[in-house]
Amino acid sequence: MNTEKDFSPLTPNIVRALNDKLYEKRKVAALEIEKLVREFVAQNNSTQIRHIIQILASEFALSQHPHSRKGGLIALAACSIALGKDSGLYLKELIEPVLTCFNDSDSRLRYYACEALYNIVKVARGAVLPHFNVLFDGLSKLAADPDPNVKSGSELLDRLLKDIVTESNKFDLVAFVPLLRERIYSNNQYARQFIISWILVLESVPDINLLDYLPEILDGLFQILGDSSKEIRRTCEVVLGEFLKEIKKTPSSVKFAEMANILVIHCQVSDESKTTNDLIQLTSMTWMREFIQLAGRVVLPYSSGILTAVLPCLSYDDRKKNTKEAANACNHSLMKLVTPEDDEDEEEAGQVNETPTREDSPPKTLEELNNSLNASQDSVGFSNISFFTPTSADRAQVTLDLEGIVQVLDRHLHDSNTGMMTRIAVLKWLYHLYIKTPRKMFRHTDSLFPMLLKTLSDDSDEVILKDLEVLAEIASSPAGQTDGAGSCDGSDGKSGLQVPAPAQAGQPAAGSKAADSSPSTPSMNSYFYKFMINLLKRFSLEGKLLENRGAFIIRQLCLLLHAENIFHSMADILLKEEDLKFASTMVQTLNTILLTSAELFQLRNQLKDLRTQESCALFCCLYRSWCHNPVATVSLCFLTQNYRHAYDLIQKFGDLEVTVDFLMEVDKLVQLIESPIFTYLRLQLLDVENNPYLIKALYGLLMLLPQSQAFQLLSHRLRCVPNPELMRTLPDSKPTESRRATPSHVNYRELLQHFDRVQSKHLEVLHQRSGRTDHPDRKLLL
């Protein structure tokens, strides 16, 4: 430095001492400058004061010589001490050169700069707040300084600045938030610790409402929560916990909508750094749970994103028990927010909102919203929480993102990696949406239907049960009663299953004229018949599904829908089935269900007597399809007490091909006759005179059987039939077929002819497959 240069009012001795390499000499020069400045303060000579500060900044603090810079820094601090309360007038000139030295490559010089700034801030106190951003920016850099002395000095300055902010009520939060938002994304651990400590301080100051700006920094907070440092994570948890407490206290001032997507993002974490990611996911899921509870329908537009985050968590194991429980609470609360109002079209909703309401009575939608929120509160078990209730204007603007929700649900159903509990939750959502918003949901039915059918092949019984509930609701909802429902299966129409129009009472099924007709029962819609068609088609294509789950599926459907509707429609469809082997297998399955399932008790009672035209029509409908399986047809006649017709059918068995499978079916029928289902039939054997054809039919079965266990069982039963002479009570009575009159609505001759036609088709197909044209030898089960 040129010592000959004029630095007045600084004396040459002061200038030389400031440039000296020894700290003690620079300190003496700083004390001289302090005295000089005090004199100018006493004289109120601000010009000379500014001149001195300018010289110290440009000629010393910003000098190229390191000792000069050190001298300049200590001298600027001395000026601030001399100025006292007046230092606020010169803070810009004092601070800027010191902050520039924060970037010096010499660690000792950075330490001196930190020390100088500490003295300047200590004197100025609250006056430094207008310069807070530049101070914070500089401190954030020093917090990550590699030199421990510099870091220690910066921590002292940091504590001083926090004390000043805490004491003051003039902190400019609006100007600070952009800088905070920028710095919060730092990856340096020390910088993160610095940032999170400042957020904790600002949050604790009553006059500073950082909650208003939480959407600006929430994403960064979750980023810091994933830090590898346990201490930083713990501090960040504390900060987030404080924010959540404040949200619960003042939900009306919280910008829920602006933070919803941030939570959705952090609820979906990758598997990297498992420990930290689990913490992020649990914390964000906990926040999401609170948001749904507090904000209510405000979060509905973000439902698809929330479900994308929540649904996979429902399949977590006990290692993530807390996250799973929070996700369950989110899912349950979100589902409760969907109401029948969401089924209204926008035009209808607009008309409702345009209707004027009296000032002395609240709108109905607001009342229903409060009820919904209270119900959600009770369901999850939270208490003493104030709820955010939107105004009627806000309520009108909330719309359910139904299309987005359906896409998310459909995507999870299609994903083979989706866990069982997630699939169950997806199906519960679909069922809930069909209940609450049926009109809008039926717009998506054609796209959902194939996957719902495919889900019937799931490994889990619980998943299948929920799937059947959805399908049953689709099939029975009044909203599905449309003329142009479209194709549900997405097939090309080339399948062997055709759709006949449902048969009228006592009449044979018509041709496939009305391919999309619904059953004649009023409780079913146009999708019911399509469901039955596609269900049978699935059974036809997946033999294992029919074998392992067929009975289970049909029995559950009989509980969810009307059993008569199901059997009537399936019989209609099977009547036109081109795959005769499948038709026979399906009839056998349906017959077993009809005879053995507790769910079919009422239907069996309806068929027992055939006293009404409707029951006769049902019998005729079932009979025509049951003809695909001769033994099932006989068992149907036994069930309906048509013993003479059963005997006539057994007489025709001599013209059929009696195979091992055929005899096994007869064996099973004998076992059924001994079961509680046919108790009434066995008791009728006591009335020999009135039931001769029952005895003949049973003897016919006995003659069909080889010498097997079933033969012995039936033979023993028939030996127990009493002598008619011993049982005679009315000597003059004439033997009749049965106590009941033969149903007048049933044409038995036509039914026998139909049986012959169906069995002829079966024989033709069998001969074609085996390549034989003559009648084959029958193989008996020996």
Side-chain angles (χ1 to χ4, degrees), residues 579-678:
D579 184 349
L580 298 183
K581 183 178 181 181
F582 166 71
S584 177
T585 304
M586 193 67 222
V587 166
Q588 183 182 357
T589 302
L590 290 172
N591 186 66
T592 303
I593 296 170
L594 176 63
L595 294 178
T596 61
S597 297
E599 296 85 355
L600 277 298
F601 175 79
Q602 187 175 354
L603 186 60
R604 284 195 297 271
N605 283 344
Q606 184 179 345
L607 287 168
K608 271 184 184 178
D609 294 331
L610 300 184
R611 291 177 179 175
T612 64
Q613 184 174 351
E614 290 75 16
S615 61
C616 290
L618 177 60
F619 166 71
C620 292
C621 176
L622 297 181
Y623 182 95
R624 296 177 192 283
S625 290
W626 261 232
C627 287
H628 283 297
N629 189 295
V631 180
T633 312
V634 170
S635 64
L636 180 64
C637 291
F638 281 158
L639 176 65
T640 57
Q641 304 181 60
N642 284 301
Y643 302 134
R644 179 166 185 170
H645 194 72
Y647 172 71
D648 292 339
L649 287 174
I650 293 173
Q651 290 292 96
K652 293 180 177 292
F653 283 7
D655 299 327
L656 303 179
E657 182 169 5
V658 181
T659 62
V660 172
D661 290 340
F662 179 89
L663 292 175
M664 289 179 67
E665 291 182 37
V666 177
D667 189 297
K668 291 177 181 177
L669 176 56
V670 172
Q671 302 293 335
L672 281 173
I673 291 173
E674 295 297 321
S675 70
I677 297 295
F678 282 111

Side-chain angles (χ1 to χ4, degrees), residues 426-631:
V426 167
L427 294 167
K428 284 182 177 179
W429 260 103
L430 289 173
Y431 180 78
H432 184 73
L433 292 173
Y434 272 108
I435 294 292
K436 298 297 183 181
T437 60
R439 289 196 304 168
K440 289 184 177 179
M441 277 302 294
F442 268 96
R443 301 170 188 171
H444 304 280
T445 299
D446 290 348
S447 61
L448 289 171
F449 208 83
M451 196 59 216
L452 290 172
L453 286 167
K454 186 177 180 182
T455 305
L456 292 174
S457 303
D458 196 274
D459 295 333
S460 166
D461 286 350
E462 195 172 351
V463 172
I464 294 176
L465 281 174
K466 293 302 176 185
D467 190 35
L468 289 173
E469 287 182 13
V470 178
L471 289 166
E473 182 59 29
I474 292 174
S476 59
S477 173
Q481 190 63 56
T482 56
D483 295 332
S487 172
C488 303
D489 58 349
S491 64
D492 56 5
K494 296 180 180 179
S495 171
L497 284 169
Q498 303 296 326
V499 190
Q504 298 298 321
Q507 298 295 327
S512 57
K513 191 176 191 180
D516 290 334
S517 298
S518 61
S520 54
T521 50
S523 60
M524 301 296 109
N525 60 34
S526 55
Y527 279 92
F528 172 80
Y529 217 56
K530 294 172 183 176
F531 174 30
M532 295 296 105
I533 293 167
N534 286 280
L535 178 59
L536 289 176
K537 184 185 298 183
R538 195 146 198 91
F539 284 152
S540 175
L541 296 174
E542 295 185 37
K544 287 292 182 182
L545 177 63
L546 177 58
E547 180 182 348
N548 299 330
R549 298 291 181 83
F552 172 73
I553 290 172
I554 294 171
R555 286 172 54 199
Q556 294 303 320
L557 282 176
C558 289
L559 290 174
L560 295 167
L561 301 169
H562 295 290
E564 180 182 350
N565 292 339
I566 292 169
F567 273 75
H568 195 295
S569 60
M570 285 191 170
D572 279 342
I573 298 165
L574 288 171
L575 190 60
K576 297 295 181 180
E577 173 58 45
E578 295 176 358
D579 184 349
L580 298 183
K581 183 178 181 181
F582 166 71
S584 177
T585 304
M586 193 67 222
V587 166
Q588 183 182 357
T589 302
L590 290 172
N591 186 66
T592 303
I593 296 170
L594 176 63
L595 294 178
T596 61
S597 297
E599 296 85 355
L600 277 298
F601 175 79
Q602 187 175 354
L603 186 60
R604 284 195 297 271
N605 283 344
Q606 184 179 345
L607 287 168
K608 271 184 184 178
D609 294 331
L610 300 184
R611 291 177 179 175
T612 64
Q613 184 174 351
E614 290 75 16
S615 61
C616 290
L618 177 60
F619 166 71
C620 292
C621 176
L622 297 181
Y623 182 95
R624 296 177 192 283
S625 290
W626 261 232
C627 287
H628 283 297
N629 189 295
V631 180

Side-chain angles (χ1 to χ4, degrees), residues 194-463:
F194 172 76
I195 294 290
I196 203 71
S197 65
W198 265 102
I199 294 175
L200 189 59
V201 168
L202 294 175
E203 172 62 14
S204 66
V205 179
D207 294 332
I208 298 177
N209 187 13
L210 193 57
L211 186 63
D212 285 345
Y213 301 93
L214 183 57
E216 305 278 344
I217 61 173
L218 184 61
D219 178 61
L221 285 173
F222 277 106
Q223 298 278 1
I224 294 176
L225 190 62
D227 195 272
S228 58
S229 168
K230 188 175 181 180
E231 183 180 353
I232 293 176
R233 292 199 304 270
R234 189 183 296 113
T235 308
C236 191
E237 280 188 88
V238 172
V239 170
L240 287 169
E242 291 299 318
F243 274 123
L244 195 55
K245 287 180 184 177
E246 192 172 349
I247 287 172
K248 291 180 182 179
K249 291 178 183 177
T250 58
S252 59
S253 61
V254 179
K255 300 174 182 177
F256 290 105
E258 296 182 23
M259 293 184 281
N261 280 333
I262 297 173
L263 296 180
V264 167
I265 292 170
H266 289 287
C267 284
Q268 307 171 70
V269 293
S270 62
D271 292 333
E272 302 173 5
S273 303
K274 187 177 183 299
T275 302
T276 57
N277 280 339
D278 287 351
L279 178 60
I280 293 173
Q281 190 176 39
L282 173 60
T283 307
S284 56
M285 194 67 71
T286 303
W287 275 60
M288 184 71 77
R289 179 189 65 196
E290 301 291 348
F291 272 33
I292 297 172
Q293 287 287 313
L294 296 170
R297 290 181 60 89
V298 171
V299 301
L300 274 183
Y302 308 93
S303 299
S304 59
I306 295 172
L307 286 176
T308 300
V310 166
L311 289 174
C313 301
L314 302 179
S315 294
Y316 285 169
D317 55 26
D318 288 341
R319 289 174 295 180
K320 292 186 176 182
K321 183 180 178 181
N322 293 335
T323 304
K324 181 179 179 178
E325 290 176 352
N328 262 316
C330 289
N331 185 57
H332 184 74
S333 299
L334 186 63
M335 190 180 293
K336 281 202 161 192
L337 297 179
V338 181
T339 66
E341 297 171 12
D342 295 306
D343 204 26
E344 297 175 359
D345 292 327
E346 293 182 4
E347 294 180 0
E348 295 177 0
Q351 292 174 0
V352 172
N353 294 329
E354 289 170 5
T355 304
T357 57
R358 293 173 53 184
E359 293 181 359
D360 57 349
S361 61
K364 290 184 179 180
T365 53
L366 181 59
E367 180 182 351
E368 292 171 0
L369 175 62
N370 289 330
N371 292 337
S372 173
L373 288 171
N374 291 331
S376 299
Q377 179 185 15
D378 295 339
S379 66
V380 184
F382 294 104
S383 60
N384 300 324
I385 299 178
S386 57
F387 284 82
F388 168 46
T389 305
T391 63
S392 57
D394 294 334
R395 173 65 181 82
Q397 296 173 1
V398 174
T399 56
L400 178 68
D401 180 21
L402 186 61
E403 184 172 355
I405 292 175
V406 171
Q407 288 177 357
V408 171
L409 299 177
D410 189 45
R411 186 167 65 248
H412 278 88
L413 276 183
H414 275 85
D415 188 356
S416 59
N417 296 322
T418 301
M420 182 190 72
M421 297 307 298
T422 299
R423 295 198 300 277
I424 291 173
V426 167
L427 294 167
K428 284 182 177 179
W429 260 103
L430 289 173
Y431 180 78
H432 184 73
L433 292 173
Y434 272 108
I435 294 292
K436 298 297 183 181
T437 60
R439 289 196 304 168
K440 289 184 177 179
M441 277 302 294
F442 268 96
R443 301 170 188 171
H444 304 280
T445 299
D446 290 348
S447 61
L448 289 171
F449 208 83
M451 196 59 216
L452 290 172
L453 286 167
K454 186 177 180 182
T455 305
L456 292 174
S457 303
D458 196 274
D459 295 333
S460 166
D461 286 350
E462 195 172 351
V463 172

